[in-house]
């Protein structure tokens, strides 16, 4: 009996095995085998080297995402409520969205200073749009019949917002959160490579420049672990917030 | 057996101002509804049944005319929408509690009342099922329970049996009879199902034309099956002749 | 009859042979830069002051029998080493410390000639602060932010040496890695306290004003070689003739610069797309020779900082060679 987890593991195992075989065959200095990489990762975590950098990166990530969430949700609610605000705001959002964030990194460094401030600014820059756009879309897509039903039951505007619009928007918000999380991790690592003094990105830069290649890959593997963890956490949030989606449609004959 | 007057619509009409011009959705309509009776509004799609119902429910302001309601307190009118309009993120109990929350009822009482109403519509044991887990008939009963939660004197239903099979539709009909059984409540149903309207209602208002107006009223209270059948055929004939006249007028 | 034919055959053979000899010799007599005698050397393109630009413009490499091709677009020496490791470049220039790290990691590269050296009379590495900065000496660097282009290059180790000489360690300051092109701006915006830059950035910053020199590489190192031209190990081992020829063109370029500074400055500024006013000619070791003692100096510096394990038996000859030095 093949379980779902076994199937999931198969893909990763295949990838890992091919990589291991290739690395051993070629024994290139710049492509260590996964067994070497994970062994090194374990060692770097055990002696605390990567723990401090990992904590710095994760803390910046969570702080940036939290800020982006708050600002994006508030902005979306205000724009949906006050249409003229949205009309004024929309062209700015659309033009800013298309700018490649990494190209703006040097400008951010100079504007916000070296370190956490510019990292948070970069994360805000990439995390804010997907959450904002998705929440806006979600609010727009609320079934008007549900709002009408709520009004027919004499629900106040606040109650309609809290108990009809907000729950209806949650699935859209979670989709935006997934996008925001992925983009944030990417941009954080890049920001840490350029003008930081700690963090996983900084560690990758330091070790790659000094040709400690296995260490570089170990840090990259840690990033992968962080990325997977974020995805799992968001899945869990979705599972908790969307209980009605856990049940299957009942079929009556 | 008719009781006191619960609702009076006096020449209510509805127009919408669109960029292309003014659209008349409903021509001036007048009727009265009394406690203890089921009134059905029948007509073709687009005749304005839903519009008339919404005006009666207080969800739409008429462009002209007046709506007189005997009990204007909040929660005195309950509406069941086409497609149920249940909140998918709330289980059955949560849906039924919604109007009680809006009315400020304290938690313990809300839960008790919601359970009571759900049991009344035959859904005891399904309080924690989400609409996604329930069949169409069950969803409709949750919607009815939700509309009844605040003990309204006027219950309005928009196409309550449209998506249901014969068995479930009949069950809804039985529920409606039970609602008016104590003589204190009025039920108004908008439907295109003439058979069910004639079988169930005490009065059938025929809404015809574009814009729709009440062209005929059939009193079916206390009638036997044969008479109801005759009324049904008459109603169909009216609707069809109106439809032909409209088609001729449009092509002229 | 046979005599008639044999004589005709002989004549024809002679004509054909003459023609063949002419065809074979003709290209060799026009110039040695014909395709059949030119060896291709892919040289990592890293836009810093480099005599190769003058050499390419004046044809010195072709004259030496080398088709030097600027390859790629690199922003650091370690990047060039990575490209050499993957076989995408044959040669380039890199800080000796970067070369040491690469060799330690098993990358087959070798330093063969001087690329950058610090001289008291011609300092290259400059550490700048704002003109109104309270930092007047190394002792006042405690708690300050120092921008450096990398954590494995000459600037970093030189700065560490300076700190040590002033009683500070690296944990007393904060190093930020930042490309040189952004450092001066960061300094002016007071995002960092000290920047370590080389020309043209140092020259441009001092010309613009508002900054002053805190210390120079020469103040800490004396006269010290800190960057080398490197080649892939395979070429050094199997085709030293190509290395020699490339270095001949390179040395000719350095000589030309010395003899024609103005013209060379123009050629350099054109190649680097910079105003000629910020081009400052570098000084090189005699004949641009490798100084193995300086290579050892850097190995010891890295070992002292804990970046090379003390058990590592790496020596200067593992990193560079003086085989191509001119006496």
């Amino acid at each position: 009996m093949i379980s779902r987890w076994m199937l999931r593991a198969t893909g990763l195992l295949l990838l890992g095995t091919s990589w291991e075989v290739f690395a051993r065959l070629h024994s290139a200095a710049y492509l260590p085998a996964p067994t070497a990489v994970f062994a090194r990762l374990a060692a770097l975590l055990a002696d605390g080297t990567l723990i401090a950098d990992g904590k710095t990166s994760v803390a910046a990530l969570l702080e940036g995402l939290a800020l982006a969430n708050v600002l994006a949700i508030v902005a979306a609610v205000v724009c949906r409520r006050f249409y003229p605000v949205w009309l004024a705001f929309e062209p700015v959002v659309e033009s800013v969205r298309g700018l490649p964030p990494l190209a703006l990194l040097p400008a951010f460094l100079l504007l916000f200073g070296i370190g956490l401030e510019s990292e948070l600014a970069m994360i805000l820059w990439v995390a804010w749009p997907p959450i904002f756009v998705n929440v806006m879309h979600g609010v727009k897509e609320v079934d008007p019949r549900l709002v009408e039903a709520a009004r027919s039951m004499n629900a106040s505007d606040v109650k309609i917002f809290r108990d009809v619009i907000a729950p209806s928007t949650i699935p859209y918000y979670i989709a935006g959160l997934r996008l925001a999380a992925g983009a944030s991790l990417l941009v954080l690592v890049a920001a840490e490579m350029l003008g930081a003094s700690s963090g996983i990105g900084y560690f990758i830069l330091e070790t790659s420049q000094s040709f400690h290649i296995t260490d570089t890959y170990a840090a990259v593997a840690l990033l992968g672990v962080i990325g997977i963890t974020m995805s799992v956490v968001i899945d869990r949030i979705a599972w908790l917030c969307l209980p009605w989606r856990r049940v299957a449609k009942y079929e009556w004959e | 057996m008719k009781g006191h007057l619960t609702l009076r619509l006096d020449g209510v009409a509805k127009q919408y101002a669109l960029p292309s011009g003014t659209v008349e959705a409903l021509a001036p309509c007048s009727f009265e509804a009394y406690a203890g009776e089921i009134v059905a509004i029948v007509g073709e799609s687009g005749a304005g049944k839903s519009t008339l119902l919404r005006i009666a429910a207080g969800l739409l302001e008429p462009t002209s005319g007046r709506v007189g309601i005997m009990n204007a307190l909040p929660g005195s009118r309950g509406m069941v929408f086409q497609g149920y309009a249940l909140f998918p993120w709330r289980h059955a109990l949560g849906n039924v509690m919604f109007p009680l929350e809006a009315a400020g009822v304290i938690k313990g009482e809300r839960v008790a009342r919601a359970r009571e109403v759900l049991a009344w519509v035959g859904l005891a044991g399904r309080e924690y099922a989400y609409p996604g887990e329930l069949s169409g008939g069950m969803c409709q009963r949750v919607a009815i329970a939700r509309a009844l939660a605040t003990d309204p004197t006027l219950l309005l239903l928009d196409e309550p049996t449209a998506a249901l099979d014969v068995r479930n539709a009949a069950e809804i009909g039985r529920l409606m009879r039970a609602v008016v059984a104590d003589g204190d409540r009025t039920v108004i149903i908008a439907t295109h199902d003439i058979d069910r309207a004639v079988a169930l209602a005490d009065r059938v208002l025929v809404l015809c034309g574009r814009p729709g107006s009440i062209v005929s009223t059939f009193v079916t209270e206390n009638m036997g099956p044969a008479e109801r059948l005759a009324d049904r055929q008459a109603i169909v004939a009216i609707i069809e002749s109106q439809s032909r006249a409209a088609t001729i007028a449009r092509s002229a | 009859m046979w005599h008639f034919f044999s004589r005709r055959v002989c004549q024809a053979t002679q004509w054909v042979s003459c023609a063949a000899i002419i065809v074979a010799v003709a290209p060799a007599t026009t110039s040695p830069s014909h395709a059949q005698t030119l060896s291709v050397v892919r040289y990592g393109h890293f836009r810093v002051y480099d005599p190769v630009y003058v050499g390419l413009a004046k044809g010195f490499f072709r004259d030496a029998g080398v088709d030097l091709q600027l390859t790629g677009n690199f922003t650091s020496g370690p990047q060039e080493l990575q490209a050499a490791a993957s076989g995408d470049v044959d040669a380039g220039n890199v800080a000796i410390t970067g070369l040491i790290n690469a060799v330690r990691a098993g990358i087959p590269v070798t330093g063969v000639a001087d690329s950058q050296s610090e001289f008291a009379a011609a300092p290259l590495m400059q550490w700048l602060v704002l003109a109104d900065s309270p930092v007047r000496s190394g002792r006042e660097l405690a708690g300050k932010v120092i921008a450096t282009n990398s954590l494995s290059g000459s600037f970093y180790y030189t700065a560490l040496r300076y700190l040590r000489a002033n009683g500070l360690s690296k944990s007393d300051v904060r190093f930020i890695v930042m490309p040189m092109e952004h450092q001066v701006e960061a300094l002016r915006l007071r995002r960092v306290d000290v920047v370590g830059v080389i020309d043209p950035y140092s020259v441009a910053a001092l010309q613009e004003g508002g900054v002053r020199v805190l210390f120079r590489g020469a103040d800490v190192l004396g006269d010290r070689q800190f960057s080398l031209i490197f080649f892939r190990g395979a070429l050094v081992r199997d085709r030293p003739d190509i290395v020699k020829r490339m270095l001949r063109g390179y040395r000719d370029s350095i000589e030309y610069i010395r003899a024609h500074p103005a013209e060379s400055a123009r050629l350099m500024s054109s190649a680097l797309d910079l105003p000629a006013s910020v081009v400052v000619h570098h000084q090189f070791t005699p004949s641009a020779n490798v100084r193995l003692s300086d290579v050892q100096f850097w190995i010891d510096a890295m070992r002292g900082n804990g970046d090379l394990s003390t058990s590592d038996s790496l020596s200067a000859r593992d990193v560079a060679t003086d085989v191509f030095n001119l006496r």
Side-chain angles (χ1 to χ4, degrees), chain B residues 166-187:
Chain B
V166 169
R167 187 166 65 89
N168 278 300
E171 187 55 44
I172 300 300
R174 271 194 291 279
L175 266 177
M176 294 302 102
R177 277 260 74 97
V179 166
V180 299
D182 60 5
D184 286 336
R185 274 182 268 267
T186 309
V187 169

Side-chain angles (χ1 to χ4, degrees), chain B:
Chain B
M1 182 64 191
K2 271 206 289 209
H4 57 269
L5 180 71
T6 51
L7 175 76
R8 171 183 280 142
L9 264 59
D10 218 341
V12 303
K14 185 67 182 171
Q15 285 175 342
Y16 290 104
L18 296 177
S20 47
T22 312
V23 171
E24 252 198 289
L26 195 68
C29 294
S30 304
F31 75 89
E32 290 166 353
Y34 299 85
E37 71 166 344
I38 298 178
V39 177
I41 306 171
V42 300
E44 287 184 312
S45 305
K49 302 190 297 295
S50 287
T51 307
L52 186 58
L53 201 73
R54 274 172 169 72
I55 291 173
L59 293 173
L60 268 185
E61 278 298 311
T63 319
S64 57
R66 274 180 358 177
V67 178
I69 181 136
M70 195 53 43
N71 180 1
L73 292 173
S76 63
R77 283 182 277 192
M79 176 123 178
V80 177
F81 292 83
Q82 188 171 16
Y84 327 130
L86 293 179
F87 304 124
W89 47 82
R90 284 183 171 228
H91 43 55
L93 194 73
N95 266 281
V96 176
M97 286 205 293
F98 190 95
L100 298 168
E101 291 163 10
V105 175
I106 63 168
K107 185 162 184 191
E109 282 179 30
R110 306 200 278 265
V111 175
R113 171 73 185 151
R115 278 188 192 280
E116 185 194 332
V117 180
L118 275 171
W120 193 83
V121 300
L123 287 177
R126 294 219 177 268
E127 292 88 349
Y128 297 103
Y130 285 94
E133 295 176 272
L134 300 172
S135 71
M138 289 175 171
C139 284
Q140 189 60 289
R141 282 190 269 162
V142 174
I144 290 170
R146 186 175 69 180
L148 289 173
T150 51
D151 201 12
T153 48
L154 181 59
L155 183 68
L156 305 111
L157 301 98
D158 194 353
E159 302 285 1
T161 56
L164 300 181
D165 60 16
V166 169
R167 187 166 65 89
N168 278 300
E171 187 55 44
I172 300 300
R174 271 194 291 279
L175 266 177
M176 294 302 102
R177 277 260 74 97
V179 166
V180 299
D182 60 5
D184 286 336
R185 274 182 268 267
T186 309
V187 169
I188 303 179
I189 302 175
T191 180
H192 65 271
D193 187 346
I194 300 168
D195 291 333
R196 190 142 312 278
V198 168
L200 181 63
D202 299 313
R203 265 189 305 144
V204 180
L205 310 179
V206 183
L207 202 63
C208 267
R210 284 176 202 265
S213 62
I214 299 174
V215 302
S216 199
T217 302
F218 288 78
V219 178
T220 49
E221 190 184 3
N222 297 322
M223 282 188 182
E227 288 158 312
R228 288 182 189 265
L229 181 62
D231 277 349
R232 180 213 171 272
Q233 284 163 339
I235 291 168
V236 170
I238 290 171
I239 290 175
E240 278 178 359
S241 80
Q242 287 280 352
S243 168
R244 268 197 302 275
T247 310
I248 291 164
R250 267 197 301 274
S251 54

Side-chain angles (χ1 to χ4, degrees), chain C residues 13-30:
Chain C
T13 310
Q14 281 167 355
W15 280 116
V16 169
S17 309
C18 281
I21 289 165
I22 289 166
V23 165
V25 163
T29 57
T30 51

Side-chain angles (χ1 to χ4, degrees), chain A residues 57 60-61 65 100-103 105 119 122-124 126-127 178-194 200-202 204 220 223-224 226-227 230:
Chain A
S57 293
L61 194 63
L65 275 173
L102 297 181
L105 192 45
E119 286 166 15
M122 283 301 302
I123 291 173
L124 253 180
V126 299
R178 273 190 218 283
L179 290 169
S184 300
L185 186 59
L186 219 97
V187 93
L188 173 67
V189 172
E192 285 177 341
M193 284 185 179
L194 184 67
I200 298 176
Y202 181 76
I204 289 174
V220 170
L223 282 176
I226 292 175
M230 278 203 304

